[in-house]
Structure formats: C-alpha cells, structure tokens
Amino acid sequence: MRSFYHDTHTVFGSHKNQVLRWVFSIDHKRIALLYMGVMFSLFFLAVSAALTMRMELFSPGSQYIAPQTYNQLFTFHGVTMIFLFIIPGISATLGNFILPLMLGARDLSFPRLNLLSWWLYLLGVVMALSSLVTGHGFADTGWTFYAPYSIRTDAQVLTSLSAAFILGLSSILTGLNFVVTIHRLRAPGMTFFKMPLFVWGLYATAWIQILATPVVGITLLLVILERTFGVGIFDPSKGGDPILYEHLFWIYSHPAVYLMILPGFGIVSEVLPVFTRRTIFGYRSIAISSASIAGIGYLVWGHHMFTSGMSDTARVIFSFLTFMVAIPTGVKIFDWVATLYKGSIILATPMLWILGSIINFIIGGLTGLTLGALGADIHLHDTYFVVAHFHYTILGGVVFMFIGGLHYWYPKITGKLYDELRGKIAFGLMFIGFNILWFPMFLAGFLGNPRRYFDYLPTFTPFHQVAALGAVLVAISLLIILFNFYKGLKNGKISGSNPWGGTTLEWHIPSPPPLENFSNVPYVDFEPYEYEEGEPAVHLDENFRRVK
C-alpha cells in the first residue's frame, strides 16, 4: 500500500523532484520527520559540546580549552538543548506525527501554518548556528542570557537572542495549531475524556506555548533594544533593573520545564497500558493533573530567585506553591505505579525506557522539592546539586521518555522493526551511564562545588572523574540507538500495523500511514485503553466502525 513516503500535498504546485516534495510538503508526517532530522543532529552537536566540557573537567586546572571557550561551550550546549531540542522536541516531532492519527484526523487544522512553523524553526536554527562563525563567536552568557552581562559582553549575543525570539514565534504557532486541531478535528464520538493521554499532554503543553512564550519573546526583544539603542531597562548603570529581567525570564522559563515534560508524561501514559496489557489506572486523574500542572506551573517562577532578593513573604509563598505543583505530579506517579500492579508486564525496549524514566524522574522530582525548601535552597543554590537535579528531570526524565516514545512509534513511522537485543543493551548502558554521570554531582554540589565554573578545587576531583566514566557510557548508548534505528530502517522486519497490541487509533491504520491517514472518518464509541484478557478489546472494520 502506498504510504506518505510515496504521496504528499505541497504548499503550492506539484513537484516531481523529491527534495522539493519534502521541502514544500504540508503533510504533518513529513514535517514531523523534517523536525526530527534537524533536532537530533543538533542534539548530537550539543552532546559533543557536553563531552568536551566533561573532558576539560576531568582534572582541576586548564586541560584542553580556554575559560572563554568553556563559557561559550556551555552556552551552546544549553541554548541548543533547551531552545532547539527539548522545548520544541516531543511536540514538534512525535506530536506532529501522532496527534492527527490519535484524533482520527487527516492532518492538523492548519497544514500551511504547520509548514510556516517549521520554516521559522529552521530560520532560528540557522541564526543560532551562524553566531558560531561570526563576530566574537557564540554567546558566553549561559542559556539564561542574564542581564546586565548579556548586554555588555562582546560575544555574538544579538544573533542568539534573535534566534530564540524566532523560535518562540514558531512554538506559539505550533501551540495554536494543536489547540484548534484538538478542539475541532476529533473524530465523532471522541469526547475530551475519550482522548488518548498523549493528546492531553500535548493539549496542556500547547496552552503554555500560547500563553507563556510571548513573555520571554518580549523580554528578549527588550534586551535586543537595550544592546542596540542603549535604552536603560535591565542594566543598573543606565537606571535599569536586572532583577526585573530574572522575573520576566523565569515567568516563561519555569513553565517551559512543563513544555518539556508534559508531552513526555503523555508518552508514559501511552506505553504503560500497552506493555502491561491492561487499562491505565486513574485515566481522568492523569488527564486533569496534566492541566493542573500547566496551571500551577505559571505561579512558581520565584523559586529560581530565592537568593536574588525578594521579600520573606514572597519567598514563603513561592516555596509553598512549588510544593503544590508536586501534588498533580505525584498523582501521575501513583497512577502509573498502580497500572503496573497486577499488570502482565512485557519488558520490551519502549517499556524499559519508560520504567527507567519514571525512576530517574522520581529522583529529579524529589531533589526539586529539596530546592523548593527555603533553607536548603540557600545552601544548594548555584551548585552542582542544581545541575544534577535538572539533568535527572530533563535528561533522565524527558529525554528517556522521548527515546521511549521513538522506540514505541518507530514501527508506525517506518513500517519496520528494530533489533530488540540492541535496543535493550542501549537502554542498559544509558541507564547505568546516566546515573554514574549525574548522581555524583548531587554529592559534589552538596559539598559546595559551584556550577558553571571552568575550574574546581582538587577535593572535587573524584566526583568529576567518576562522572566522566558515565559520560562515555551515555555516548556509546546513543551511538547504539542511532545504529539500531538505521539497521532497522535498512534491514528490519516488516512490522505490520499493530506490532505492540496498541489500542489507540493510530494502531488501526497501516504502517507507515497513507497520505491523509484514514480512508473514512472513524467513529469512537470506546475508551482509549480497553483490554480483555491481555488483548485489545476493540476491533474496527474497514470503515473504522467498531465490530467488537
């Protein structure tokens, strides 16, 4: 059967040239794959920067690179990972590909807007990378662009700021498209509480994209104006207020953490029922907790600024709200654990990644609560403890979920199967390597090792040398994953439409999907995760009507 790899719609005209058919395609699946190719290329560049920093930190003192180069490397690593990879990551790739399939739709509501979002993203990438080879090199400010340093440094900050602004615009357009699609293009019969939980994750994320991203966009624009025209907004020497910058930046950037994590939570909620062969426990509470996290997440930005100067009352309120956001997150964790209870657990590769992500995320979440406590935060602020917490949450949590999702939907995207043994070896190396890499940093941070520094006291040497070993394992694991996907694409067995026994709509159409996904509009008169005796309970005929 012909798939979307053979046929496509383009924004204008009909093209025989295959490159043009990809460049101008408005098919959500092709756009998702374009995002995927660019994002993972950037991901590996950012990993290379991190490995270079880890080599430099293997011993105290200067080893291979100068302090200024180190500052630029960690800024490049941060900006690339945050703005170019993980914030747009799951939504733009798996979200773009899977969302219409799960809703029973033929595409997103605005296919041309989707293509514009992709082109804006690409423009932001080109601008960000151009600063590597122009002017005084890449920004050296860290991914936070804190004022007044970002206003005074000679590094190429303007280009990086402009890139981040354009990427924000792309993100807003994607969010608008997803919200309208979820409201308008759900299959008949699919109420909000019959939507798959990945869709709920994307829906909550889209609202954050729409409401929070403009704040950071305006903030970055103000920094650009201050650098260009000398207007005193954030620079105290011109009458500005650098604390105002921190407030504006974190009003966006803390909800941005939920931009990263909520689609990942959705992936967890998709994979668990399939590989436990039972309906998910607490469907409604998981769905509502996604919306709750998105809402409460707007109110906790101040916990990044406990040492920056604010009233005791404000600090107590922000600390309290930080603990509040743990409640809906805890609800999800308990629901996932309850789903595992008495389930027929199948330890396939996607399931391993998801189980690993839950373990890592629990550690990341609990250490986040430690940082939300006022007294502990004063001691741990700006130490490696914070860096370890962040990486347990984002790398050990979100990226593990992302990779789990890629393994889960790989057969649907390619129509092929990868090698399970290689997949499990890659997971094992990554899980062990990740924990060897980042757990020692909790201890180093607790003992006072500050973050972002080019150098450190000799007493911290063992922590950094153990971490270097973990970094090597992580790098090997990533290369195995890449090789496994490549070999699966080239020589993998044909997957069939539903190799995992999934129950949501995307598993009822061929793999890879045809152009426009569904030959007829499905009618949904069933719950998203129905199993009977370990098998999918719902079967659809060729017109996508329930026959069982």
Side-chain angles (χ1 to χ4, degrees), residues 15 34 85 109 112 114 186 234 280 313 317 331 543 546:
H15 308 280
L34 291 172
F85 176 68
S109 276
R112 287 175 174 77
N114 197 24
R186 297 192 314 277
F234 302 123
I280 196 159
T313 305
I317 291 171
V331 167
N543 293 316
R546 184 174 187 166

Side-chain angles (χ1 to χ4, degrees), residues 192-206:
F192 261 71
F193 285 112
K194 284 183 180 172
M195 293 195 309
L197 288 165
F198 183 55
V199 177
W200 269 100
L202 293 172
Y203 184 64
T205 302

Side-chain angles (χ1 to χ4, degrees), residues 158-179:
L158 270 182
T159 317
S160 303
L161 290 169
S162 304
F165 181 83
I166 291 170
L167 291 166
L169 185 57
S170 166
S171 178
I172 292 169
L173 296 181
T174 300
L176 280 170
N177 214 344
F178 279 16
V179 166

Side-chain angles (χ1 to χ4, degrees), residues 368-389:
L369 290 179
T370 306
L371 292 168
L374 286 171
D377 184 79
I378 300 300
H379 174 69
L380 297 170
H381 190 81
D382 267 349
T383 67
Y384 264 100
F385 189 96
V386 179
V387 186
H389 152 70

Side-chain angles (χ1 to χ4, degrees), residues 337-348:
V337 173
T339 303
L340 292 169
Y341 180 65
K342 288 190 176 179
S344 302
I345 297 173
I346 301 168
L347 291 177

Side-chain angles (χ1 to χ4, degrees), residues 237-260:
S237 67
K238 298 171 185 169
D241 183 357
I243 303 298
L244 175 63
Y245 175 86
E246 290 193 36
H247 277 289
L248 291 173
F249 181 82
W250 287 112
I251 284 174
Y252 163 77
S253 295
H254 191 80
V257 173
Y258 305 112
L259 281 180
M260 308 172 202

